[in-house]
Amino acid sequence: MLRSLNINPDKCTGCLQCEMACSFENEGVFNPAKSRIKIFTFHDEGRFVPYTCTQCDEAWCLHACPVEAIRMNRETGAMEILDSVCVGCKVCTIACPFGTVNYNQTTGKVIKCDLCGGDPQCAQACPTEAITYVDADATGLEKMRAWASKTDNQAHAN
Amino acid sequence: MTYVIVGSGPAGVVAAETICKLDPNGQVVMVGDEPDPPYSRMAIPYLLINNIDEQGTYLRKDPEHFGNAIKHVHGVAESVDAEAKTLILADGRKLDYEALLVSTGSRPILPPVPGIDGERVTTCWTLEDARKITATLKPDASVVLIGAGFIGCIILEALVSSGANLTVVEMGDRMVPRMLDETSGGLLKKWCQEKGVNVMTSAQVESIDHHSDKAVVKISNDRHVEAELVISAAGVRANADFLEGTEIELKNGAVAVDRYMCSSVPGIYAAGDAACGLDFSTSDYSVQAIQPTAVEHGRVAAANMVRHGSVLHQGCINMNVLDTIGLVSVSYGQWQGVEGGDHAALLDRDRFRYINLQFDGDTLVGANTLGITQHIGILRGLIQGQFKLGKWKQRLMDNPMQLMEAYLAATQGA
Amino acid sequence: MSWTRRILRVNLTEGSISEEPLNMEWADQYIGQRGLATRYFVEETDPTCDPLGPDNKLIFATGPLTGTMASTGGRYSVITKGPLTGAIACSNSGGFIGAELKSAGWDMVICEGRSPSPVMLHIVDDKVKLLPADDLWGKSVWDTDRLIHEKLHDPQIRIAAIGRSAEAGCLYAAIINDLHRAAGRSGVGTVMASKNLKAMAVRGTQGVGNIKDPKSFMQVTAEQKQVLAENAVTGQGLPAMGTQVLMNVINEIGALPTNNMREVQFKDANKISAEAMAEPRDSDGKPNLTTNAACFGCTIACGRISTIDKGHFTVENKPEYWGNSGGLEYEAAWALGADTGVGDLDALTYANFVCNEDGFDPISFGATVAAAMELFEEGVITTGQTDGMELRFGSAEALAWCAEKVASGEGFGADLGLGSKRLCEKYGRPELSMTVKGQEFPAYDPRGVQGMGLTYATSNRGACHLRSYTVASEVLGIPEKTDPLSVDGKAGLVKAFQDATAAVDSTGLCVFTTFAWSLDNIAPQVDAACEGGWTAEKLLEAGERIWNLERDYNMRAGLTGADDSLPKRLLKDAAKTGPAEGKVAGLDEMLPEYYQLRGWTPDGQLTAETRSRFGLPA
């Protein structure tokens, strides 16, 4: 059974432990600016919303890549960037309608959530269970998926 | 079922792969007119700066990728006999099909200038072109680039980093006039000038005189530039000439398709730069000539080639991302704005940052940005999702940088 | 080493910016943040300088754990000479800008001189610029924050700024970062204004690395987060109720200063408590409290996010106050509420919003209003001075009016901006000022919590609870319960808390962790991140060194042992109600022992021996 990140903004306190855990895992430093997960703060509303890639079935990023530098990890279901293949053309960054693929100016490559190979550090670090790693069926990504299918030019015929 | 795909760029390759998935017993023949394995033109700038080798440009890295399922044929399409359902190649070979996909892409247009066919002039389109440019570029070489469009801009870094003295001649009044508005196009010009590039806008090459050791490029208003290399990047047109005289209807020089990516002739489909397909933003049909559109076309066309009517094309959103000597510019959809719509812009000239959002009512319909890379794809999400922004429209009017917040509010009620 | 080892020096007079290496020898002795910045400050400034003159300096300093995954590792401190006290000022703040500064590659920013015109400091990693800020001068913190975000096109940029109160010379103006976190006390914002420095905007993209032993750091910080999560105060009380959990508790033990400390219990404490904040309002059915919120890296999340009822008289027809913002914490709720006798929760919240919006310390503000109310009731201040406003204890209207006046600095706001001491002196009744060294008291009455009397009297920055929070022991039993009404052993308790707190304040961590952590929990985290063999003993020694350094500075600045005192009201007027009824603050019984434990002379001066024991500058 594939697992995925389940995000519950109601529980988020905006502490950024997830951003630090993510950047530490991927960059070796505590650096929210390079985190694959991001907390958005709604000051007026008093709300914090963690946000990252949902590893969507449509995988716009993967399909948009001109050089096959994004592949699906069959064990985790994550779309992963192959750094050695990525040329840094940024087409995936504009193709992803969720805005979750970002260009890293320092390396000249793109970065995105890869579920840490199946042990997402953001979920590990979250002190309030606003981010958990659970069976994919239970993640409640329906809303996102629903609109995804609305604009889907890539629906599979079957 | 036998499928023939003419053209082995992204649209063709994705279509071939999609067909294999949907109809595992089908016969797929893919015809390409270049000797190399299918590769991406998007990657050529990175080849020019030596970030990757030629293999790094290949669309599929595994040499066995196409295996037995997809037969890759080298050849040039000459015409189609729609009646007989046969594709005729230049060397006389005939390929029978039950469904045909025209994914022949496009080719550079050479401006009608005396001397444009001289040996010091090249386009920058194919791997062969890239090899020629690499061989010629050396420090202090004088290079003239005709056209500051999409292609011109993405190869600027390679030309600058080679140490060449570079002059860019652009007919339009700014850089990349087809994807950037006056502000961002003008700012990009300033950026290039600060990087030592001689940029002439509203300028035309009038002639190229070839001498033994150099070419002399004559530019409007009595200007002359000597060049060891002239690169022509003055736009592209679809490779659809071979269909002239057939029943297949052409539009804007490309194959007119319906929302199943099917041409006026049943069984013949088109995708990518060779197709004049539905534009998401305008509901009109146009040639976008961009990579993501080619891929989407390829997938939709393939599905309908396997089972006609199975997938209705929702229209592609026109979008571009350009990295011009380190300055990233982006355009989406109706970046020029729509009649009666509002726009919200922020400009920081000193830091080369710019964002301009275009609204129709309280829906985002287009955008231009400069120097912004974080979460940029959300512009697509907002435009393609056609979200009613409600109170967030005013917040974006006040501060257009709050895009992610607006998106989350629209989708998650945050 | 988890220091970036780089200091940014900004000379505002010349408009020049330079970089220098961090003095690692000092770092080994003073850790970072509060301690290390004080070491720099002492080295570089004349203790007798005018706090608001160009010779004073203003240091923004992070600690070695700032910007790391250690829980609460997002703190920074502002070190300067305080205009309210004439003593060393050191204000600690959370939020996000401290970590951002560290992530930009800077341990510290030292601002010196005075800019000829308003400027803001813009830091993006190594790129540092002074930008003109004439257009921001005269704007509130909130407007400044918004305008800078718009101007710099960067939603992620973190901003610390001063508001109108600082510009108008309010002596307890704060530096507000991230809209509602504050380096709040002692007038550090006033110093910033005196330098014509409107704001600091920071974006850090380099991150914090250099962790000595990353693997054990991750392990030990994870273990210690677990300790916080399992502790009743840090795991349940603070996240659910915030520091406001204390309101009813402190009232019950008879230590809630009320009506300018005339009383020790407030009849309406339950109306302004954490419980009240969570209660749906009759008017709009929504509770005052929307949610809790964390500062950078904090797994406790004691912060309050609140709204005011749209129909409340303070915000009627003022939609700019209808959204959520930083809500009441205990000290603010006490100062704005109990000390002024106001039991209207939304009025307190409004005053708190205004304190954040225009950048002034709600503790000093509330206590100054309380003093003004007493002066008014005594007939010394009249409606002639207050445009007709009746400054009566319990008047929510008066509180809101005072907040608006201090924010703008207009009219009677200028008087209120003087702080309680100068206000009472101006009106000829200095004994009504509830201050030490010119700074107003916080929310614990020393008659009911005896240790806090000594805490206030000896605090190096004037009356303050955060220098030695003996309430933890005397009320909450952390680390062990002592009798709040007894003076026995309090000298040693205060010293231990002062030294430990000075160490914690120098690491980048929040002192609230010490409800669950001792230095034994903190040392392994510092040691895994930093070179230097950091043990609890070494931290404590550094803490004591820091305390003595601060004290030494104050003595050189002209303060004496006589300033380690309390107002007569606390020493002579016994508590009238509650468990402490009949008690006065027993300072005289504790102070000599305290001096002795400190190794100071009987009149509170450092000895040569003490100075050399800690290697303090001669």
Side-chain angles (χ1 to χ4, degrees):
Chain A
M1 169 76 78
L2 281 183
R3 300 210 290 166
S4 56
L5 289 172
N6 184 30
I7 289 174
N8 182 350
D10 290 340
K11 292 183 175 175
C12 180
T13 63
C15 75
L16 311 190
Q17 281 276 337
C18 55
E19 295 190 10
M20 279 188 281
C22 175
S23 55
F24 188 78
E25 172 75 13
N26 290 293
E27 309 279 333
V29 290
F30 303 114
N31 190 359
K34 296 276 166 68
S35 173
R36 281 77 171 146
I37 189 165
K38 201 83 210 143
I39 307 298
F40 289 92
T41 300
F42 291 80
H43 183 262
D44 278 3
E45 290 78 5
R47 204 166 150 77
F48 307 96
V49 182
Y51 188 73
T52 189
C53 173
T54 61
Q55 316 298 343
C56 65
D57 292 340
E58 293 76 15
W60 276 274
C61 60
L62 183 151
H63 295 301
C65 178
V67 293
E68 218 180 14
I70 304 178
R71 294 190 194 167
M72 188 171 90
N73 178 323
R74 295 199 178 278
E75 275 174 37
T76 63
M79 312 306 150
E80 299 178 348
I81 311 286
L82 302 179
D83 267 1
S84 59
V85 181
C86 173
V87 299
C89 75
K90 308 166 200 69
V91 171
C92 55
T93 71
I94 61 165
C96 168
F98 303 109
T100 53
V101 190
N102 283 317
Y103 180 60
N104 180 351
Q105 206 101 34
T106 318
T107 58
K109 316 268 180 192
V110 295
I111 55 179
K112 72 177 286 298
C113 170
D114 62 1
L115 296 175
C116 298
D119 182 18
Q121 294 301 298
C122 54
Q124 291 274 356
C126 179
T128 61
E129 296 185 328
I131 307 165
T132 48
Y133 192 50
V134 298
D135 287 345
D137 286 350
T139 57
L141 297 171
E142 292 80 4
K143 263 193 273 181
M144 237 168 146
R145 295 250 157 92
W147 98 254
S149 62
K150 184 171 123 188
T151 54
D152 186 10
N153 272 328
Q154 305 164 355
H156 306 281
N158 45 35
Chain B
M1 179 106 160
T2 304
Y3 306 88
V4 171
I5 294 170
V6 211
S8 58
V13 166
V14 167
E17 291 167 351
T18 309
I19 291 168
C20 287
K21 261 186 228 149
L22 300 177
D23 181 8
N25 299 321
Q27 306 288 313
V28 182
V29 180
M30 185 168 72
V31 183
D33 66 357
E34 290 185 57
D36 307 289
Y39 64 90
S40 168
R41 306 202 195 286
M42 293 291 303
I44 286 180
Y46 305 93
L47 173 67
L48 290 178
I49 55 173
N50 266 325
N51 270 9
I52 50 170
D53 56 17
E54 285 195 7
Q55 209 193 333
T57 69
Y58 295 171
L59 289 173
R60 300 295 177 255
K61 302 298 189 246
D62 179 0
E64 305 301 316
H65 176 84
F66 298 105
N68 297 325
I70 300 168
K71 194 174 162 200
H72 190 193
V73 172
H74 183 228
V76 178
E78 180 145 302
S79 69
V80 173
D81 184 341
E83 197 84 356
K85 294 200 160 190
T86 302
L87 174 75
I88 300 145
L89 302 183
D91 59 11
R93 277 182 293 170
K94 290 181 177 177
L95 297 171
D96 294 338
Y97 62 81
E98 283 159 277
L100 174 72
L101 179 68
V102 179
S103 53
T104 43
S106 52
R107 64 177 186 284
I109 303 168
L110 290 176
V113 170
I116 195 77
D117 48 2
E119 66 171 298
R120 288 187 182 276
V121 182
T122 182
T123 54
C124 185
W125 191 243
T126 62
L127 278 180
E128 188 51 39
D129 290 344
R131 290 172 199 132
K132 181 172 175 184
I133 292 169
T134 309
T136 317
L137 277 182
K138 56 178 189 294
D140 301 324
S142 180
V143 178
V144 170
L145 176 64
I146 305 175
F150 192 85
I151 305 291
C153 280
I154 55 179
I155 64 172
L156 270 186
E157 175 151 13
L159 303 179
V160 168
S161 65
S162 73
N165 296 319
L166 187 61
T167 302
V168 179
V169 185
E170 164 61 39
M171 277 169 62
D173 61 355
R174 59 186 187 270
M175 292 188 70
V176 215
R178 288 186 54 206
M179 78 167 262
L180 296 179
D181 61 20
E182 281 175 34
T183 307
S184 46
L187 206 51
L188 185 59
K189 175 178 172 181
K190 181 170 167 250
W191 172 266
C192 292
Q193 286 170 328
E194 287 184 12
K195 300 279 173 187
V197 180
N198 180 16
V199 184
M200 302 178 184
T201 48
S202 303
Q204 268 177 294
V205 171
E206 293 176 345
S207 67
I208 304 165
D209 293 331
H210 292 269
H211 303 271
S212 59
D213 56 340
K214 61 178 187 253
V216 176
V217 181
K218 192 171 169 228
I219 302 162
S220 50
N221 289 335
D222 271 344
R223 288 168 288 188
H224 293 84
V225 179
E226 294 183 355
E228 278 128 279
L229 180 67
V230 178
I231 300 173
S232 177
V236 297
R237 60 169 291 137
N239 286 319
D241 315 13
F242 75 105
L243 298 175
E244 273 169 23
T246 69
E247 300 151 60
I248 300 167
E249 190 188 319
L250 301 183
K251 188 179 176 191
N252 300 333
V255 179
V257 292
D258 61 16
R259 290 185 65 186
Y260 301 102
M261 304 310 298
C262 190
S263 74
S264 58
V265 176
I268 299 179
Y269 297 77
D273 292 11
C276 185
L278 181 64
D279 183 297
F280 173 86
S281 302
T282 60
S283 301
D284 209 346
Y285 287 78
S286 63
V287 183
Q288 293 178 342
I290 57 172
Q291 155 94 15
T293 294
V295 171
E296 284 191 29
H297 278 180
R299 291 164 66 86
V300 175
N304 289 307
M305 287 166 76
V306 172
R307 204 175 57 157
H308 190 82
S310 59
V311 175
L312 188 66
H313 185 218
Q314 304 298 319
C316 285
I317 181 165
N318 204 354
M319 55 187 172
N320 274 301
V321 58
L322 265 182
D323 187 334
T324 312
I325 331 178
L327 183 59
V328 178
S329 52
V330 168
S331 74
Y332 276 105
Q334 292 176 295
W335 53 267
Q336 313 94 321
V338 294
E339 213 178 309
D342 292 317
H343 76 105
L346 260 185
L347 169 67
D348 184 344
R349 271 184 200 283
D350 295 338
R351 293 170 60 226
F352 293 95
R353 285 169 73 86
Y354 176 65
I355 181 166
N356 189 1
L357 304 179
Q358 298 287 352
F359 300 92
D360 187 356
D362 67 347
T363 305
L364 188 73
V365 293
N368 257 164
T369 69
L370 211 57
I372 296 167
T373 56
Q374 292 296 296
H375 308 295
I376 196 74
I378 214 64
L379 283 165
R380 178 184 186 181
L382 282 167
I383 295 168
Q384 207 154 358
Q386 294 178 306
F387 296 110
K388 297 277 176 209
L389 292 165
K391 70 175 176 187
W392 278 92
K393 180 189 170 188
Q394 190 53 47
R395 291 190 184 184
L396 287 175
M397 293 291 289
D398 294 340
N399 181 1
M401 289 302 291
Q402 295 184 311
L403 283 166
M404 274 305 306
E405 287 81 358
Y407 174 82
L408 288 169
T411 55
Q412 302 188 7
Chain C
M1 54 160 196
S2 189
W3 300 272
T4 68
R5 300 185 176 223
R6 295 165 73 223
I7 290 182
L8 180 65
R9 189 176 290 277
V10 180
N11 186 315
L12 292 159
T13 306
E14 294 168 7
S16 63
I17 286 155
S18 58
E19 176 190 337
E20 57 194 67
L22 190 70
N23 184 324
M24 293 310 293
E25 201 178 311
W26 287 356
D28 192 60
Q29 294 175 328
Y30 295 92
I31 313 172
Q33 202 179 347
R34 173 176 164 186
L36 189 52
T38 303
R39 183 66 189 83
Y40 272 90
F41 186 75
V42 166
E43 184 77 12
E44 297 185 10
T45 59
D46 177 353
T48 62
C49 72
D50 173 4
L52 300 179
D55 294 340
N56 194 7
K57 298 196 182 187
L58 183 73
I59 305 182
F60 296 85
T62 66
L65 297 189
T66 303
T68 72
M69 253 182 109
S71 184
T72 77
R75 313 292 301 188
Y76 78 99
S77 290
V78 178
I79 287 81
T80 189
K81 184 176 178 182
L84 196 61
T85 56
I88 188 104
C90 168
S91 280
N92 181 307
S93 181
F96 296 86
I97 197 171
E100 200 74 31
L101 182 63
K102 189 80 174 283
S103 197
W106 304 103
D107 286 316
M108 229 183 257
V109 182
I110 301 178
C111 300
E112 49 196 38
R114 169 189 280 158
S115 171
S117 62
V119 288
M120 63 170 278
L121 184 61
H122 184 210
I123 301 174
V124 181
D125 297 331
D126 288 346
K127 293 189 229 69
V128 182
K129 276 186 197 164
L130 282 168
L131 305 175
D134 305 86
D135 54 332
L136 300 174
W137 206 256
K139 297 278 193 288
S140 73
V141 171
W142 292 357
D143 284 341
T144 299
D145 189 284
R146 180 177 52 77
L147 290 166
I148 293 176
H149 271 106
E150 287 175 13
K151 190 156 129 184
L152 298 179
H153 286 210
D154 188 347
Q156 304 293 332
I157 207 152
R158 308 288 187 183
I159 294 163
I162 51 164
R164 292 181 299 159
S165 69
E167 295 172 18
C170 168
L171 289 174
Y172 46 85
I175 298 172
I176 304 286
N177 57 276
D178 304 289
L179 295 173
H180 50 75
R181 307 307 313 178
R185 303 224 66 195
S186 312
V188 296
T190 322
V191 176
M192 190 158 159
S194 75
K195 301 200 167 304
N196 265 326
L197 180 60
K198 179 67 182 178
M200 176 169 82
V202 187
R203 179 80 165 108
T205 69
Q206 303 183 21
V208 176
N210 295 335
I211 300 297
K212 184 185 83 180
D213 182 348
K215 204 174 156 203
S216 60
F217 183 75
M218 293 302 273
Q219 193 184 333
V220 69
T221 52
E223 285 166 11
Q224 294 304 332
K225 280 174 224 170
Q226 199 56 34
V227 172
L228 293 176
E230 287 165 4
N231 178 279
V233 177
T234 53
Q236 293 155 31
L238 286 175
M241 302 172 87
T243 52
Q244 272 274 64
V245 68
L246 289 166
M247 183 63 75
N248 287 326
V249 176
I250 301 296
N251 192 45
E252 275 160 31
I253 65 161
L256 189 68
T258 300
N259 294 357
N260 200 32
M261 304 190 100
R262 288 198 302 211
E263 277 106 64
V264 294
Q265 288 183 307
F266 180 41
K267 65 177 171 40
D268 288 337
N270 65 324
K271 292 187 186 163
I272 61 169
S273 63
E275 292 82 351
M277 287 171 73
E279 196 69 31
R281 291 181 281 245
D282 291 339
S283 47
D284 65 354
K286 286 183 193 159
N288 174 283
L289 179 72
T290 301
T291 186
N292 65 326
C295 294
F296 183 92
C298 176
T299 58
I300 302 172
C302 72
R304 306 289 92 184
I305 302 294
S306 287
T307 59
I308 303 167
D309 178 2
K310 290 173 183 150
H312 191 266
F313 80 89
T314 51
V315 298
E316 238 180 337
N317 306 318
K318 290 196 263 185
E320 64 270 31
Y321 296 103
W322 291 354
N324 281 275
S325 194
L328 291 167
E329 298 183 18
Y330 172 61
E331 309 297 332
W334 161 78
L336 303 169
D339 205 30
T340 63
V342 176
D344 178 338
L345 185 63
D346 273 0
L348 271 51
T349 306
Y350 172 72
N352 196 55
F353 278 15
V354 174
C355 285
N356 290 330
E357 181 185 21
D358 266 300
F360 51 101
D361 171 19
I363 301 179
S364 286
F365 164 71
T368 303
V369 172
M373 285 173 165
E374 189 161 358
L375 289 166
F376 187 88
E377 296 204 341
E378 297 274 317
V380 181
I381 290 172
T382 65
T383 49
Q385 276 105 22
T386 62
D387 303 340
M389 177 58 70
E390 306 234 340
L391 295 187
R392 300 208 176 274
F393 283 114
S395 167
E397 289 78 8
L399 175 72
W401 179 83
C402 288
E404 290 164 7
K405 286 290 160 191
V406 173
S408 68
E410 289 161 6
F412 191 64
D415 276 1
L416 288 169
L418 294 170
S420 164
K421 178 170 179 267
R422 291 170 177 80
L423 179 79
C424 293
E425 283 169 354
K426 177 172 176 180
Y427 288 94
R429 298 292 298 277
E431 76 282 5
L432 295 185
S433 169
M434 298 299 117
T435 51
V436 173
K437 300 183 178 77
Q439 177 157 294
E440 293 73 10
F441 285 96
Y444 314 87
D445 198 299
R447 291 168 290 199
V449 189
Q450 290 290 333
M452 292 308 283
L454 184 60
T455 287
Y456 296 155
T458 59
S459 160
N460 285 328
R461 68 165 182 179
C464 170
H465 57 298
L466 289 171
R467 287 296 171 270
S468 48
Y469 194 68
T470 58
V471 171
S473 165
E474 299 178 89
V475 180
L476 305 171
I478 300 166
E480 57 193 22
K481 186 77 171 76
T482 53
D483 181 358
L485 300 177
S486 165
V487 295
D488 291 348
K490 295 297 163 63
L493 189 70
V494 166
K495 176 181 179 293
F497 268 83
Q498 285 175 338
D499 294 345
T501 304
V504 175
D505 283 350
S506 302
T507 58
L509 301 179
C510 176
V511 74
F512 286 3
T513 57
T514 58
F515 288 116
W517 290 349
S518 69
L519 292 182
D520 288 329
N521 303 76
I522 292 171
Q525 302 186 70
V526 177
D527 192 52
C530 305
E531 281 147 10
W534 292 93
T535 59
E537 291 70 31
K538 180 168 171 170
L539 284 173
L540 193 63
E541 192 196 352
E544 190 171 2
R545 179 180 294 117
I546 293 161
W547 190 267
N548 278 281
L549 181 71
E550 291 172 343
R551 174 77 178 189
D552 198 31
Y553 180 86
N554 285 350
M555 295 296 113
R556 290 168 196 258
L559 277 73
T560 67
D563 294 299
D564 298 339
S565 187
L566 294 172
K568 281 208 182 61
R569 175 168 287 170
L570 304 176
L571 298 171
K572 306 288 182 204
D573 300 352
K576 294 173 198 155
T577 61
E581 190 179 333
K583 282 266 175 195
V584 294
L587 179 64
D588 296 347
E589 299 167 70
M590 298 180 279
L591 194 61
E593 185 189 353
Y594 172 82
Y595 282 169
Q596 199 183 354
L597 288 171
R598 280 275 171 222
W600 297 345
T601 65
D603 55 357
Q605 296 287 341
L606 268 71
T607 60
E609 193 270 324
T610 310
R611 205 177 262 117
S612 89
R613 181 154 61 101
F614 294 110
L616 300 186

